[in-house]
Amino acid sequence: MSDSRKIPIYHLASHARAGETLCLKLLNAHSRIHVPQQITHYESASSKELLRTIMKDEIQSIDLTSSYAKDAMLTSNSIILIKQGVWAPSKFAGFGLIRNPYSFVHSMLEYNRKEGLDTGYTLRGKYKKTYERLMRWSRKMDKGICKKIGRNRNPINALCIFYNHRINWILENTELVHRYEDLVNEPESTLGTMCAYLGVPFESKLLSAHQSYSHEAGHGMNTLGRAIDKDSLNKWRALDPKELEKISSLTQKTQKNAGYDLYR
């Protein structure tokens, strides 16, 4: 029997550039789902403290009488949904969200370029920020993976090392895994399955969540006021054929585990 004085915490176990901001934005529109952070750039001190506590103590719920619950005006029917993208807890309740490796690599490299880095003389120098992120994220997940990434001079190799580790961890540690491609192709049914897992009914207003935001750039440089669309699905095709072949070779087993068809 659930304790009506406790507000359960669920995790969206995912990885960078997998559509986490979109997914959180949509689910946050639900009358019973509360997403503390990782949508807009603004994050309150209390939401940061909540996430630190979840990461440190692996708590599964918070008390309804807690200061955070009161400040966020949560009720006994509320649930909290957080993004778990940069650490690997030993226990949690939640579902996964993944994306194909071609889109992941392409999006990470484009994100790197948009930041206006100095190009450097080597691949390692050109993609310095990408390496810094991968090292920071992987350090919280698995120090062995962190070392492998640190020793690798090619950014695509490094990204694929991270991708393989994170995707397989999500597949092994979550009961339900969704793909970004399904979320944008069939948003109503995919969100309906997520809601069912969280124990809440689907609400149609999730599909128009973008209307609550302006065209500001949110977390991950995503335009929050943008409706669900399929524009991003095929951007990975801009990668060089040799790069595609390399990604295919390095992630083949993971793709099969995740139910992706290999792109040729």
Side-chain angles (χ1 to χ4, degrees):
M1 180 180 295
S2 61
D3 188 341
S4 60
R5 296 169 299 177
K6 297 289 186 180
I7 300 172
I9 298 170
Y10 289 92
H11 293 222
L12 171 63
S14 190
H15 59 91
R17 318 312 295 169
E20 320 104 303
T21 304
L22 171 64
C23 187
L24 292 173
K25 177 183 75 174
L26 298 174
L27 290 172
N28 193 48
H30 197 286
S31 60
R32 291 177 55 188
I33 299 174
H34 172 71
V35 178
Q37 56 179 201
Q38 301 285 315
I39 298 178
T40 67
H41 284 299
Y42 172 75
E43 295 178 353
S44 67
S46 59
S47 70
K48 290 179 181 178
E49 180 59 30
L50 174 64
L51 185 61
R52 280 194 291 267
T53 302
I54 293 170
M55 293 178 69
K56 180 176 179 288
D57 301 329
E58 296 193 357
I59 59 173
Q60 307 292 300
S61 63
I62 64 170
D63 199 280
L64 184 59
T65 61
S66 67
S67 59
Y68 183 86
K70 289 180 178 179
D71 290 344
M73 296 184 288
L74 304 183
T75 71
S76 58
N77 288 324
S78 298
I79 62 173
I80 292 172
L81 179 64
I82 65 165
K83 184 179 88 170
Q84 178 224 103
V86 295
W87 86 101
S90 61
K91 59 180 180 179
F92 68 96
F95 57 88
L97 180 68
I98 63 177
R99 194 173 184 183
N100 76 76
Y102 310 96
S103 290
F104 167 69
V105 171
H106 177 264
S107 188
M108 283 292 293
L109 297 183
E110 283 299 303
Y111 191 82
N112 186 93
R113 294 182 187 116
K114 285 179 182 178
E115 291 182 309
L117 313 178
D118 83 77
T119 57
Y121 292 103
T122 66
L123 281 174
R124 184 69 184 247
K126 184 175 181 179
Y127 293 103
K128 179 181 177 182
K129 284 288 183 73
T130 294
Y131 274 94
E132 288 176 351
R133 288 192 177 94
L134 291 178
M135 295 289 285
R136 185 173 68 249
W137 297 336
S138 60
R139 193 174 292 118
K140 296 178 182 179
M141 298 177 190
D142 186 310
K143 291 183 179 179
I145 295 298
C146 184
K147 290 180 180 179
K148 288 182 180 179
I149 292 171
R151 290 195 298 263
N152 208 294
R153 295 181 179 277
N154 185 291
I156 290 181
N157 288 9
L159 286 164
C160 287
I161 290 170
F162 177 86
Y163 181 86
N164 287 332
H165 177 79
R166 184 58 180 169
I167 296 299
N168 285 305
W169 188 92
I170 292 171
L171 294 172
E172 292 170 4
N173 289 276
T174 56
E175 299 174 324
L176 179 70
V177 178
H178 291 287
R179 293 181 292 195
Y180 169 80
E181 295 81 5
D182 297 327
L183 177 61
V184 297
N185 276 318
E186 300 176 347
E188 185 168 346
S189 62
T190 304
L191 289 167
T193 305
M194 291 178 180
C195 287
Y197 176 86
L198 296 171
V200 298
F202 172 76
E203 294 178 353
S204 59
K205 62 181 180 179
L206 272 62
L207 300 174
S208 55
H210 63 285
Q211 294 177 359
S212 298
Y213 299 89
S214 68
H215 287 283
E216 63 180 306
H219 194 79
M221 296 187 186
N222 293 283
T223 303
L224 298 176
R226 183 177 173 181
I228 303 169
D229 63 58
K230 304 175 184 179
D231 291 351
S232 64
L233 289 179
N234 291 306
K235 287 184 177 180
W236 61 268
R237 295 185 184 279
L239 289 167
D240 183 270
K242 290 183 179 179
E243 294 175 327
L244 291 172
E245 194 61 37
K246 177 185 283 288
I247 297 167
S248 177
S249 174
L250 293 172
T251 65
Q252 185 173 7
K253 184 176 179 180
T254 300
Q255 287 191 63
K256 289 181 178 179
N257 291 342
Y260 282 113
D261 293 326
L262 299 182
Y263 295 102
R264 293 291 185 183

